């Protein structure tokens, strides 16, 4: 009862305060409004740095191209513009049926095609145009994941397979037609029975030397191609991954081109296609299943960069070892992981921008009996929920940029580091994104449930990222495996470590001071030391454990499987250290000033949160209990120092207002009765 | 009799005439010989008046109009160029600083501003009216943002309001400096109403009697005098499809080649005139204008003005290109209408040259535009932040 009386009084005071305020402004207060929306942007002038300058470090490349793309989306009716209050938002209508969503995706692609968005996506091959392609795809993904995935399948998987697995004859025949959408491609790799383990697929292709054709077959139900994006409705052609059997001898997995529909959309003879059906998200993509019943394709349709079959049916390959052959095949698929990693970060940016903007305008509860209600972000607990995720998102932006930079300048020598980094970042960023989306959705309370507010809905749209293009857990195992291989090789040759960022293992083991002061904790040297110490120790432990299992008679493979816990810890240690280092490098490029100071705060928060969250630091004693307590305390302090800059920091993400949602702006006006009436 | 010297025709204090009618204030721009081009004094005076009226509870509505045949032909750029030539460019920067602050105050004003656009509305004149709540066009209205022909770029917050026109009409109007009449202004949203000029005095009288700040009431009163204007057959507004197809392209070069492709498909004077006009404008101006409009589409009005202030300072500093001075020479001073742009071709203006216009200005003591603090804004102003 006392509580109710208190609440009533608080509200009365609040109203009273408002009314007085309004009178002095002499502007009419609509009679039924009780709370004023106070835009956080009004304090623009208090920004200690210009967000457009910060955005250059975050987006890093092709900013005008991104802005162009955003504009193409906001200026067209096709992108479902929706006026809420005085603001315009664009977002697909997820209330449409699966079929309608798929058709809209295709219409949007035609529109973007018409504007020249895809010019050079396959026919220009230089780092600049590759970066532009990444930037545009990222911007598209911020509007709708289905749209970017549908494009990703066509350009990066189908187009990429032709570029990388094919040779000149394939490039000449297919690339331009693909870029112009004269044909629509898909990529049939995964099967009902095999996903991440591509080598186990069961589709079989034989060669008929009488006709000079390959014959593709789906021998059993588990061999049906599954989850093939584009297959259910639109694709006319597909890459088929299949075992190649020559004269009864299996030569391993190879890739072929097969037509599955004619130009009018009729399914080709001997091909059966079914729909994968409604999904928890990504319903704008027509995932399908394909069966091949002795489908005949010309000999030239084998993508023959690695191996070929002669007219008379002889198997020819420069790479004799089937393991190596397979690795050579799979290497180009890293581009998918690079784009997924980048896209995950942009999704986190959207959700953080929405949740933080909301937390700067929404109040709840008072701390004093008659006081005004407190702004959500003024609660230290709310800061602690959102700001570390903001710091991580900054850190991962820099890491993602670094990965893209290495990727577009790739050489044969860098392919291993690209494989390891893209695996580590793809898994780390997509997990981070899912966690961020969940936290932001909860931070928005009930508003987070509304599809129009995006954060909640994005969870189901982006969930798929943690398992497609390589299951996150499998990818992280590959990271640890690669580190272990590097370790064993270095020990065997008795040479210093070189590559995969393990050079720090050649130095004396870093020592963590027993007393951690605030200034030590914020020092990049200490942070790097702590992260390197963890990686070094975990790698030593992992190697020791694997070899111990081997000494007990287990195979290398099984020993690795048994050591999965250390493998997971090591993968994480590697990823977090690499991210920290790219952050420090990015910071070094910024001239002295408030922007650089802010980045230092964010970097420290990133580092300290990692120290706090990974139990390995305490489990293996890299930090004492006192140290761990100091880390935690400093994290809270950093959050409160970042609090005044929160708006500027999310504004720096450069997400267009139209890509955010009503709760990020005047949510009272957006929900007013007047907006219901029309 | 010799003509009086330019700036002394009208005493500085009378360059903005003020009439008080109940709770309405009528501000008339009064430099008719210069088509009411905004001098530094006029901008200062307008700013002073707007700031005072916002706090004055006796004032509920502000009407802005122009004396003579123009509403306002722009900022007094010639004077600015003279200032720069005489001293350093920072004098010019003061002019734009104050002008943009005025634009920001108008865009986020707590009380309705009704601008009567009965004549020329160009450049700075657009900045002093389009940001306000109501813009009344007439059959005499001529709107344009002609800056690219002058070696400048559409400023005064134009990257905010042009970018919000339908489709890619904003790019078209901004790059081309196309003149729009009252009907076109209404159709694309630059004007909120069209009132025949013969009814203006009645409208003004009615507005002065309203005694309210309620936008709905004011709008209803203007509606009573409004009519649906006739859209001329040759209007570019009938060409929205072509405009969208071409002006949506990624770069200025691609916009021009898209227009050239259109011209190949069918012979059309309008398209060839459009191409000619683009080819005559300052290449640097075209590129920075396109980028400015595209960024502006994604930014609030304050951010737009902060960016434009950076840009205009770079333009005046003239490190990359001195086209602004050349444009003013050719169009305003020598009037030979034959500017020699440098860089002379689009392909000579690199991305990094364009980038530099958007960066911090490297000059002792230079600062980004500091927007004044605002409070208790109406809903429609909040949405512009």
């Amino acid at each position: 009862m006392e509580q109710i009386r208190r609440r009533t009084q608080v509200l009365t005071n609040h109203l009273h305060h408002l009314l007085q305020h309004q009178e002095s402004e002499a502007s009419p207060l609509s009679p039924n409004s009780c709370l004023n929306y106070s835009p956080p942007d009004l304090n623009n002038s208090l920004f200690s740095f210009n967000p457009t300058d910060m955005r250059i470090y975050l987006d890093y490349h092709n900013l005008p191209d991104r802005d162009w793309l955003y504009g193409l989306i906001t200026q067209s009716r096709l992108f479902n513009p929706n006026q809420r209050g005085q603001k315009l938002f664009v977002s697909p209508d997820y209330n449409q049926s699966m079929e309608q969503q798929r058709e809209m995706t295709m219409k949007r692609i035609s529109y973007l095609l018409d504007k020249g968005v895809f010019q050079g996506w396959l026919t220009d091959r230089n780092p600049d145009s590759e970066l532009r392609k990444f930037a545009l795809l990222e911007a598209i993904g911020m509007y709708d994941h289905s749209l970017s995935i549908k494009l990703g399948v066509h350009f990066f998987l189908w187009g990429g397979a032709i570029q990388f697995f094919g040779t000149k004859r394939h490039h000449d025949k297919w690339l331009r037609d693909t870029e112009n959408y004269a044909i629509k491609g898909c990529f049939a790799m995964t099967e009902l029975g095999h996903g991440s383990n591509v080598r186990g697929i069961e589709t079989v292709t034989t060669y008929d030397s009488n006709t000079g054709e390959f014959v593709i077959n789906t021998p059993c139900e588990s061999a049906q191609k599954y989850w093939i994006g584009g297959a259910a409705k639109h694709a006319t052609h597909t890459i088929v991954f299949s075992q190649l059997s020559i004269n009864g001898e299996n030569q391993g997995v190879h890739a072929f081109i097969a037509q599955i529909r004619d130009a009018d959309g009729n399914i080709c003879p001997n091909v059966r296609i079914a729909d994968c059906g409604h999904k928890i998200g990504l319903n704008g993509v027509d995932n399908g299943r394909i069966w091949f019943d002795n489908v005949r394709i010309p000999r030239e349709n084998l993508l023959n960069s690695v191996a070929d079959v002669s007219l008379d049916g002889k198997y020819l390959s420069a790479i004799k070892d089937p393991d190596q052959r397979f690795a050579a095949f799979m290497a180009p698929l890293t581009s998918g992981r690079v784009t997924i990693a980048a896209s995950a970060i942009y999704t986190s940016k959207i959700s953080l921008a929405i949740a933080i903007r909301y937390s700067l305008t929404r109040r709840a509860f008072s701390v004093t009996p008659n006081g005004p209600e407190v702004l959500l972000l003024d609660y230290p607990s709310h800061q602690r929920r959102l700001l570390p995720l903001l710091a991580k998102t900054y850190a991962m932006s820099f890491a993602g940029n670094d990965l893209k930079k290495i990727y577009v300048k790739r050489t044969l020598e860098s392919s291993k580091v690209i494989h390891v980094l893209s695996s580590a970042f793809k898994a780390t960023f997509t997990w981070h994104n899912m966690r961020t989306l969940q936290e932001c959705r909860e931070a928005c309370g009930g508003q987070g449930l509304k599809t129009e507010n995006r954060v909640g809905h994005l969870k189901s749209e982006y969930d798929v990222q943690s398992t497609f293009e390589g299951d996150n857990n499998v990818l992280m195992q590959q990271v640890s495996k690669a580190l272990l291989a590097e370790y064993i090789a270095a020990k065997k040759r008795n040479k210093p470590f070189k590559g995969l960022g393990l050079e720090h293992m050649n130095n004396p083991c870093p020592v963590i001071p027993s007393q951690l002061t605030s200034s030590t904790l914020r020092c990049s040297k200490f942070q790097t030391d702590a992260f390197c110490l963890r990686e070094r120790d975990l790698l030593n432990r992992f190697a020791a454990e694997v070899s111990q299992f081997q000494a007990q008679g287990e195979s290398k493979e099984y020993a690795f499987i048994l050591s999965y816990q250390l493998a997971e810890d090591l993968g994480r240690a590697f990823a977090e250290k690499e991210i920290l280092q790219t952050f420090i490098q990015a910071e070094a490029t910024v001239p002295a000033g408030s922007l650089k100071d802010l980045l230092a705060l964010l970097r420290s928060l990133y580092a300290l949160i990692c120290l706090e969250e990974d139990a390995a630091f305490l489990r293996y004693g890299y930090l004492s209990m006192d140290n761990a307590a100091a880390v935690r305390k400093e994290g809270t302090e950093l959050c409160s120092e970042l609090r005044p800059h929160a708006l500027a920091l999310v504004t720096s993400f450069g997400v267009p207002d139209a890509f955010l949602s009503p709760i990020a702006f005047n949510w009272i006006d957006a929900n007013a009765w007047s907006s219901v009436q029309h | 009799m010799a003509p009086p010297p330019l700036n002394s025709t009208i005493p500085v204090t009378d360059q903005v005439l003020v009439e008080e009618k109940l709770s309405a204030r009528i501000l008339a721009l009064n430099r008719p010989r210069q088509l009411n081009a905004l001098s530094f004094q006029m901008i200062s005076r307008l700013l002073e008046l707007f700031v005072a009226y916002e706090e004055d509870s006796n004032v509920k509505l502000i009407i802005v109009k122009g004396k003579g045949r123009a509403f306002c032909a722009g900022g007094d750029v010639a004077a600015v160029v003279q200032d720069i030539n005489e001293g350093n460019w920072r004098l010019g920067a003061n002019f734009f600083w104050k002008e943009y602050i005025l634009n920001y105050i108008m865009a986020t004003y707590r009380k309705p501003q009704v601008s009567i656009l009965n004549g020329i509305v160009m450049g700075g004149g657009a900045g002093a009216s389009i940001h306000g709540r109501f813009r009344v066009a007439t059959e005499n209205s001529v709107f344009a943002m002609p800056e690219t022909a002058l070696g400048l770029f559409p400023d005064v917050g134009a990257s905010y309001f042009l970018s919000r026109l339908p489709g890619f009409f904003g790019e078209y109007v901004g790059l081309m400096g196309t003149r729009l009449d009252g009907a076109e202004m209404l159709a694309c949203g630059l004007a909120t109403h069209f009132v025949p000029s013969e009814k203006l005095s009645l409208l003004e009288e009615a507005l002065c009697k309203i005694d309210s700040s309620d936008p709905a009431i004011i709008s209803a009163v203007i509606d009573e005098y409004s009519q649906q204007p006739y859209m001329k057959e040759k209007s570019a507004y009938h060409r929205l499809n072509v405009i969208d197809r071409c002006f949506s392209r990624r770069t200025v070069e691609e916009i021009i080649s898209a227009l050239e492709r259109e011209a190949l498909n069918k012979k059309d004077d309008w398209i060839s005139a459009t191409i000619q006009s683009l080819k005559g404008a300052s290449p640097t101006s075209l590129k920075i204008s396109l980028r400015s409009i595209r960024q502006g589409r994604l930014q609030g009005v304050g951010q737009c003005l902060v960016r434009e202030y950076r840009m205009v300072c770079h333009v005046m500093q003239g490190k990359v290109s001195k086209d602004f001075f050349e444009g003013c020479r050719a169009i305003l001073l020598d009037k030979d209408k034959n500017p020699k742009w440098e860089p002379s071709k689009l392909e000579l203006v690199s991305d990094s040259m364009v980038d530099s216009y958007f960066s911090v200005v490297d000059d002792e003591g230079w600062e980004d535009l500091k927007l004044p603090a605002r409070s208790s804004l109406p809903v429609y102003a909040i949405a512009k932040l």
Side-chain angles (χ1 to χ4, degrees):
Chain A
M1 201 52 209
E2 179 55 39
Q3 261 195 331
I4 294 171
R5 199 161 39 238
R6 217 190 92 198
R7 284 285 303 153
T8 320
Q9 196 169 16
V10 169
L11 284 174
T12 319
N13 284 337
H14 201 91
L15 270 174
H16 185 63
H17 166 79
L18 270 177
L19 287 170
Q20 271 185 335
H21 185 66
Q22 287 294 333
E23 275 160 24
S24 67
E25 302 299 344
S27 72
L29 174 68
S30 56
N32 54 352
S33 85
C34 47
L35 278 179
N36 239 358
Y37 174 83
S38 170
D41 318 69
L42 280 180
N43 296 325
N44 256 342
S45 47
L46 302 178
F47 283 1
S48 67
F49 61 92
N50 188 330
T52 60
D53 296 331
M54 181 71 98
R55 185 188 163 206
I56 295 171
Y57 293 102
L58 290 171
D59 275 344
Y60 190 63
H61 61 96
N62 300 86
L63 276 73
D65 296 326
R66 294 172 198 269
D67 289 349
W68 169 56
L69 204 285
Y70 296 144
L72 289 180
I73 290 177
T74 59
Q75 298 308 97
S76 162
R77 304 292 310 168
L78 271 179
F79 293 82
N80 194 31
N82 184 18
Q83 188 83 29
R84 291 299 314 273
Q86 305 270 330
K87 278 274 196 192
L88 184 83
F89 298 99
V90 289
S91 178
D93 180 359
Y94 294 110
N95 206 23
Q96 283 184 329
S97 71
M98 181 176 83
E99 280 74 18
Q100 289 169 317
Q101 290 186 47
R102 291 168 172 184
E103 286 320 303
M104 283 313 295
T105 306
M106 221 40 234
K107 278 189 186 155
R108 287 169 188 144
I109 289 176
S110 311
Y111 167 82
L112 297 174
L113 175 70
D114 196 44
K115 300 294 177 191
V117 171
F118 312 131
Q119 241 166 48
W121 277 29
L122 290 169
T123 51
D124 284 354
R125 287 181 78 174
N126 56 65
D128 283 347
S129 60
E130 207 154 17
L131 281 174
R132 185 205 296 168
K133 176 170 67 177
F134 283 152
L136 294 172
L137 190 74
E138 283 158 17
I140 291 169
M142 290 164 75
Y143 171 74
D144 178 31
H145 198 202
S146 287
L147 187 55
S148 70
I149 290 303
K150 184 105 175 155
L151 289 167
V153 169
H154 178 77
F155 283 102
F156 288 77
L157 295 179
W158 155 266
I162 288 168
Q163 267 181 333
F164 298 121
F165 307 155
T167 51
K168 188 167 184 303
R169 66 176 188 229
H170 304 110
H171 300 166
D172 293 347
K173 181 162 182 192
W174 302 103
L175 292 183
R176 188 157 298 280
D177 277 355
T178 301
E179 203 170 285
N180 299 332
Y181 270 91
I183 55 157
K184 301 186 191 96
C186 65
F187 187 79
M189 184 156 82
T190 48
E191 297 175 355
L192 178 58
H194 291 86
S196 288
N197 180 18
V198 180
R199 297 188 70 176
I201 58 170
E202 297 170 286
T203 303
V204 180
T205 298
T206 54
Y207 181 67
D208 180 350
S209 52
N210 295 326
T211 58
E213 289 170 320
F214 287 108
V215 186
I216 308 174
N217 233 322
T218 304
C220 53
E221 284 301 356
S222 61
Q224 65 179 272
K225 292 294 177 186
Y226 214 99
W227 292 127
I228 312 310
K233 285 280 171 210
H234 299 123
T236 57
H237 292 72
T238 186
I239 303 290
V240 186
F241 280 81
S242 161
Q243 305 291 347
L244 173 61
S245 175
I246 297 290
N247 300 325
E249 193 186 340
N250 184 16
Q251 300 292 351
V253 175
H254 289 70
F256 304 85
I257 294 171
Q259 184 163 5
I260 55 172
R261 284 192 180 82
D262 65 20
D264 298 327
N266 305 306
I267 295 171
C268 294
N270 298 355
V271 174
R272 285 175 287 148
I273 293 180
D275 206 305
C276 286
H278 194 267
K279 306 183 288 286
I280 62 166
L282 226 52
N283 283 304
V285 178
D286 51 328
N287 291 93
R289 303 139 65 191
I290 313 175
W291 291 257
F292 300 95
D293 307 322
N294 289 317
V295 172
R296 289 184 162 263
I297 56 166
R299 191 177 68 96
E300 293 73 32
N301 283 16
L302 168 65
L303 294 171
N304 60 340
S305 69
V306 172
D308 208 348
V309 172
S310 67
L311 192 60
D312 59 349
K314 282 206 185 58
Y315 185 74
L316 313 161
S317 176
I319 308 175
K320 291 283 169 267
D321 177 9
D323 285 348
Q324 282 183 13
R325 213 151 60 206
F326 180 73
F329 240 147
M330 290 299 121
L333 292 181
T334 40
S335 81
R337 293 203 289 273
V338 175
T339 56
I340 291 166
S343 127
I345 292 312
Y346 277 99
T347 311
S348 297
K349 287 177 177 172
I350 293 172
S351 65
L352 283 166
I354 293 171
I356 287 178
R357 289 187 63 92
Y358 187 56
S359 73
L360 289 167
T361 62
R362 179 69 150 85
R363 294 169 182 273
F365 303 104
S366 322
V367 269
T368 53
N370 297 325
E373 289 185 287
V374 177
L375 217 45
L376 295 186
L377 203 62
D378 285 335
Y379 286 100
S381 57
H382 211 77
Q383 295 168 14
R384 188 71 189 200
R385 287 168 69 185
L386 295 178
L387 300 183
L389 295 170
L390 178 74
K392 285 185 175 183
T393 302
Y394 265 76
M396 291 175 195
S397 290
F398 298 127
N401 292 337
D402 201 55
L403 174 62
K404 282 188 273 180
K405 200 163 56 184
I406 301 172
Y407 178 79
V408 299
K409 292 187 182 151
R410 63 192 172 277
T411 57
L412 218 53
E413 293 76 52
S414 67
S415 69
K416 182 158 74 181
V417 71
I418 291 172
H419 172 70
V420 174
L421 273 183
S422 66
S423 301
F425 287 177
K426 185 265 185 184
T428 308
F429 295 6
T430 57
W431 274 329
H432 164 73
N433 182 39
M434 288 310 290
R435 202 183 138 195
T436 303
L437 287 170
Q438 181 64 27
E439 197 64 63
C440 288
R441 129 72 192 116
E442 291 178 35
C444 294
Q447 289 295 335
L449 297 174
K450 292 187 74 171
T451 305
E452 71 169 19
N453 287 328
R454 299 205 74 188
V455 277
H457 185 83
L458 286 173
K459 287 194 298 171
S460 56
E461 289 294 321
Y462 278 87
D463 193 329
V464 63
Q465 285 193 328
S466 37
T467 54
F468 74 178
E469 293 281 305
D471 175 275
N472 278 2
N473 284 295
V474 174
L475 290 178
M476 285 306 251
Q477 282 166 18
Q478 293 194 9
V479 172
S480 315
K481 223 179 221 172
L483 293 173
L484 181 63
E486 203 67 24
Y487 181 90
I488 292 169
K491 294 286 168 192
K492 201 182 268 173
R493 278 176 296 154
N494 205 14
K495 283 208 171 140
F497 285 94
K498 195 169 176 299
L500 296 188
L502 291 175
E503 289 82 357
H504 67 91
M505 307 264 300
N506 302 319
N507 305 334
C509 189
V511 178
I512 304 297
S514 55
Q515 288 280 319
L516 287 176
T517 61
S518 167
S519 64
T520 310
L521 285 164
R522 292 174 185 222
C523 160
S524 61
K525 168 79 169 60
F526 156 75
Q527 294 158 3
T528 310
D529 279 353
F531 280 50
C532 287
L533 175 63
R534 171 178 56 160
E535 186 184 39
R536 166 198 292 252
D537 183 66
L538 287 170
L539 181 50
N540 283 326
R541 282 174 191 272
F542 181 49
E545 193 175 285
V546 169
S547 86
Q548 197 188 350
F549 280 125
Q550 282 180 278
Q552 290 166 6
E554 303 292 358
S555 70
K556 192 172 114 193
E557 286 70 24
Y558 197 60
F560 188 84
I561 288 171
L562 289 173
S563 300
Y564 72 97
Q565 284 180 323
L566 277 166
E568 280 172 15
D569 286 349
L570 175 61
R572 174 180 183 170
F574 168 82
E576 290 182 351
K577 182 211 65 186
E578 287 294 320
I579 294 168
L580 176 67
Q581 284 180 342
T582 58
F583 201 144
I584 293 169
Q585 284 158 16
E587 219 179 306
T589 66
V590 180
S594 55
L595 199 153
K596 195 188 187 80
D597 299 342
L598 253 289
L599 285 178
L601 290 183
L602 287 163
R603 187 246 307 141
S604 290
L605 182 55
Y606 167 74
L608 297 190
I609 284 297
C610 291
L611 293 185
E612 187 181 320
E613 286 178 348
D614 186 359
F617 284 99
L618 278 173
R619 184 185 304 124
Y620 300 114
Y622 316 137
L623 293 177
S624 66
M625 284 182 10
D626 285 350
N627 282 346
V631 164
R632 187 156 218 230
K633 190 161 159 272
E634 198 63 23
T636 307
E637 177 56 32
L638 282 165
C639 283
S640 68
E641 282 177 44
L642 284 167
R643 157 68 184 86
H645 308 283
L647 180 65
L649 290 171
V650 293
T651 305
S652 305
F653 287 155
V655 183
D657 289 359
F659 284 50
L660 298 179
S661 69
I663 46 165
F665 301 96
N666 191 345
W667 41 268
I668 297 182
D669 184 45
N671 285 289
W673 178 246
S674 56
S675 73
V676 177
Q677 287 162 320
H678 44 259
Chain B
M1 198 166 78
L6 271 185
N7 280 319
S8 64
T9 39
I10 291 166
V12 163
T13 45
D14 291 345
Q15 289 186 9
V16 178
L17 301 176
V18 180
E19 260 183 282
E20 300 192 2
K21 294 248 177 107
L22 296 174
S23 60
R25 296 292 176 273
I26 304 172
L27 309 183
L29 307 178
N30 185 30
R31 271 178 98 201
R33 275 166 160 268
Q34 291 83 24
L35 301 173
N36 299 325
L38 295 171
S39 63
F40 186 74
Q41 288 81 359
M42 284 165 89
I43 291 170
S44 307
R45 180 76 180 131
L46 284 170
L47 188 56
E48 200 178 281
L49 291 167
F50 267 80
V51 169
Y53 291 155
E54 194 162 43
E55 299 306 324
D56 183 348
S57 56
N58 296 320
V59 178
K60 293 185 179 158
L61 167 71
I62 297 176
I63 298 170
V64 183
K65 61 183 189 179
K67 283 274 177 206
R69 63 192 177 92
F71 171 78
C72 169
D76 194 347
V77 177
V80 173
V81 169
Q82 202 180 345
D83 278 349
I84 299 171
N85 286 339
E86 282 170 11
N88 74 49
W89 63 271
R90 296 290 284 274
L91 285 173
N94 289 341
F95 176 92
F96 289 107
W97 178 292
K98 193 149 254 186
E99 185 178 24
Y100 296 177
I101 295 293
L102 174 66
N103 299 145
Y104 182 68
I105 296 281
M106 286 174 159
T108 57
Y109 208 59
R110 288 210 293 268
K111 298 171 185 181
Q113 169 187 351
V114 180
S115 302
I116 311 286
L117 307 175
N118 188 30
I120 295 168
V121 190
M122 292 187 187
S129 55
I130 306 297
H131 292 296
R133 186 70 177 82
F134 297 106
R135 290 89 61 186
V136 178
T138 73
E139 74 282 2
N140 299 319
S141 299
V142 183
F143 171 96
M145 295 303 287
E147 287 85 354
T148 57
L150 214 62
L152 200 60
F153 63 93
D155 64 336
V156 295
S159 63
Y160 180 83
F161 61 74
L162 288 182
S163 63
R164 278 152 180 85
L165 301 185
F168 297 85
F169 199 60
E171 272 95 337
Y172 168 72
V173 171
L175 297 188
M176 295 280 299
T178 311
R179 293 179 172 214
L180 303 179
D181 65 19
E184 292 166 321
M185 289 178 73
L186 182 71
C188 73
L190 285 167
T192 56
H193 295 81
F194 182 96
V195 175
S197 59
E198 63 194 23
K199 292 192 185 163
L200 286 178
S201 50
L202 288 174
L203 169 65
E204 204 176 294
E205 216 170 291
L207 284 171
C208 292
K209 285 187 194 143
I210 290 179
D211 197 34
S212 163
S213 285
D214 185 341
I217 297 174
I218 295 165
S219 187
V221 168
I222 310 176
D223 280 343
E224 283 173 37
Y225 300 88
S226 297
Q227 57 174 239
Q228 193 55 42
Y230 167 75
M231 180 81 82
K232 62 180 189 260
E233 218 156 281
K234 290 211 158 171
S235 168
Y237 211 73
H238 295 308
R239 311 276 190 150
L240 278 186
N241 280 337
V242 187
I243 289 172
D244 276 356
R245 267 203 303 280
C246 299
F247 284 82
S248 59
R249 307 302 290 202
R250 193 170 69 89
T251 60
V252 179
E253 290 92 328
E254 286 177 33
I255 289 173
I256 293 179
S257 37
L259 285 163
E260 285 169 344
R261 276 198 303 277
E262 295 279 339
L264 278 183
N265 289 340
K266 79 174 194 269
K267 198 173 147 27
D268 183 332
D269 293 343
W270 179 83
I271 292 176
S272 32
T274 304
I275 296 170
Q276 278 321 304
S277 162
L278 284 176
K279 288 189 169 168
S282 151
T284 310
S285 286
L286 288 175
K287 286 202 171 180
I288 63 173
S289 301
L290 182 65
R291 190 180 293 182
S292 175
I293 292 168
R294 297 223 164 132
Q295 269 193 30
R297 187 164 277 144
L298 312 165
Q299 294 176 324
V301 69
Q303 272 182 304
C304 285
L305 288 161
V306 170
R307 171 174 35 72
E308 290 175 6
Y309 181 70
R310 277 189 183 188
M311 293 171 68
V312 84
C313 287
H314 283 289
V315 166
M316 289 185 296
Q317 221 183 1
K319 279 188 181 167
V320 174
S321 162
K322 300 194 178 1
D323 281 359
F324 176 45
F325 305 97
E326 174 61 11
C328 287
R329 181 203 63 74
I331 309 292
L332 301 176
L333 304 173
D334 298 351
K335 301 191 177 168
D336 60 21
K337 294 190 176 161
N338 186 22
K340 296 273 176 284
W341 305 126
E342 188 57 47
S344 58
K345 289 194 179 106
L346 285 167
E347 56 268 33
L348 298 176
V349 185
S350 68
D351 284 351
S352 62
M353 285 158 85
V354 177
D355 288 344
S356 66
Y357 281 88
F358 296 80
S359 62
V360 176
V361 176
D362 185 16
D363 199 66
E364 184 70 35
W366 182 90
E367 274 186 302
D368 266 329
L369 183 69
K370 286 246 176 321
L371 302 171
R374 309 287 293 141
S375 62
S376 310
L377 301 187
V379 164
Y380 68 85
I382 286 175
K384 293 189 208 169
L385 293 171

